[in-house]
């Protein structure tokens, strides 16, 4: 009868180490060199904005505007825009990726865990969006290895310049090390304003885009990334 409490105590004693392993992003000589390269200027930029390395990260992608917006968490739990990075290249048209080989860059809601980070990418550094997600699979969409990466070339991915992906990588890696277990990436065709949706009302993907708008609106109103669930074949946005 005395063994079980002992084993429980032993397991709990290892819990911090196990958790640290869970949230550690993989590293390589390339990623370590990249972090070292960008760290001095990045630390100063963060300090100038009253931010710190290790803050939780939230990312928005806007295809039409060729923008990757990176937000960092403040002490009050809200997120503020740290920097907007130009997307060097994406492929296809406005609208979601539907099948393997269509050359489309994905749209929708994706969650990035440390294991999706690739420090030895053929495109400098990268992270896997996790396409197809549950929503994509429910709609029969196919494809794999859709990334955000460096090297400024894209076939279905979102390509950044190498200096940009190095900064993004460093902020994400630092957030994981500080305890963030997953990073949300919301990929939109454009800013989900009423004006933009009205201007694109005749597009074949207008109905799909209307399902993305609640997440955009929730973040605009609260400055907190909403919880996104998939129920059946639909996104459900919860704050």
């Amino acid at each position: 009868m005395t063994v079980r409490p002992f084993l429980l105590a032993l397991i709990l004693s290892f819990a911090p180490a196990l958790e640290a392993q869970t949230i550690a992003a993989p590293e390589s000589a390339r990623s370590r060199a990249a972090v070292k390269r960008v760290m001095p200027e990045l630390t100063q930029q963060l300090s100038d904005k009253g931010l710190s390395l290790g803050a939780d990260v939230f990312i928005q992608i806007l295809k039409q505007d060729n923008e990757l917006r990176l937000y960092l968490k403040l002490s009050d739990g809200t997120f503020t825009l740290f920097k907007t990075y130009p997307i060097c290249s994406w492929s296809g048209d406005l609208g979601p990726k539907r099948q393997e080989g269509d050359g489309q860059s994905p749209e929708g809601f994706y969650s990035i865990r440390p294991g999706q980070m690739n420090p030895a990418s053929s495109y400098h550094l990268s992270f896997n969006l996790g396409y197809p997600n549950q929503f994509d699979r429910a709609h029969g969409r196919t494809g794999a290895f859709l990334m955000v990466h460096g090297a400024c070339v894209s076939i279905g991915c979102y390509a950044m310049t190498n200096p940009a992906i190095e900064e993004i990588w460093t902020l994400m890696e630092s957030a994981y090390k500080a305890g963030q277990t997953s990073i949300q990436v919301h990929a939109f065709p454009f800013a989900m304003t009423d004006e933009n949706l009205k201007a694109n009302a005749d597009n074949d993907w207008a109905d799909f885009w209307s399902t993305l708008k609640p997440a955009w609106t929730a973040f605009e109103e609260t400055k907190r990334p909403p919880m996104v669930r998939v129920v059946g074949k639909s996104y459900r946005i919860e704050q």
Side-chain angles (χ1 to χ4, degrees):
M1 296 296 293
T2 59
V3 176
R4 289 181 181 177
F6 172 76
L7 288 176
L8 179 60
L10 185 63
I11 291 169
L12 290 175
S13 72
F14 281 100
L18 292 172
E19 177 66 13
Q21 290 177 4
T22 300
I23 61 175
E27 294 183 351
S28 67
R30 183 190 305 166
S31 67
R32 288 191 292 271
V35 171
K36 182 178 180 180
R37 183 161 45 246
V38 303
M39 189 65 77
E41 184 175 352
L42 188 59
T43 302
Q44 185 60 56
Q45 291 173 358
L46 290 164
S47 178
D48 290 345
K49 294 190 174 186
L51 300 168
S52 58
L53 202 64
D56 282 7
V57 172
F58 169 59
I59 292 172
Q60 288 178 335
I61 289 173
L62 278 64
K63 267 186 179 178
Q64 192 171 65
D65 300 304
N66 297 308
E67 289 182 356
L68 185 152
R69 298 178 179 180
L70 191 145
Y71 297 83
L72 294 175
K73 190 176 184 179
L74 300 172
S75 59
D76 65 359
T78 62
F79 283 69
T80 187
L81 180 65
F82 168 61
K83 190 179 287 192
T84 298
Y85 296 93
I87 295 173
C88 193
S89 177
W90 56 270
S91 62
D93 301 312
L94 296 183
K97 183 173 183 62
R98 300 178 294 283
Q99 62 186 19
E100 181 78 35
D102 64 6
Q104 284 285 114
S105 298
E107 294 173 9
F109 306 119
Y110 299 91
S111 182
I112 317 303
R113 295 185 178 275
Q116 291 165 244
M117 307 287 282
N118 183 1
S121 171
S122 298
Y123 300 93
H124 194 49
L125 300 170
S126 69
F127 60 87
N128 191 325
L129 283 171
Y131 174 94
N133 63 17
Q134 185 180 346
F135 178 93
D136 299 322
R137 293 193 300 272
H139 288 265
R141 297 175 183 171
T142 60
F145 304 110
L146 280 301
M147 308 280 184
V148 175
H149 59 65
C152 201
V153 292
S154 171
I155 304 176
C157 297
Y158 291 101
M160 316 298 295
T161 64
N162 286 353
I165 198 63
E166 288 184 355
E167 284 195 8
I168 295 164
W169 176 281
T170 300
L171 292 164
M172 293 176 72
E173 181 186 66
S174 299
Y176 290 134
K177 287 182 176 179
Q180 187 173 8
T181 56
S182 64
I183 293 172
Q184 287 195 57
V185 176
H186 291 187
F188 298 106
F190 39 70
M192 296 272 96
T193 62
D194 291 337
E195 294 77 11
N196 282 344
L197 287 169
K198 184 177 180 180
N200 290 278
D202 294 333
N203 191 287
D204 290 343
W205 294 107
D207 288 344
F208 168 68
W209 292 335
S210 70
T211 70
L212 305 183
K213 189 179 189 304
W216 174 274
T217 301
F219 181 72
E220 287 295 296
E221 292 177 348
T222 68
K223 296 306 176 186
R224 297 170 187 262
M227 180 181 296
V228 180
R229 298 176 57 210
V230 177
V231 179
K233 290 188 173 184
S234 301
Y235 282 124
R236 178 176 293 177
I237 310 304
E238 301 173 356
Q239 199 59 51

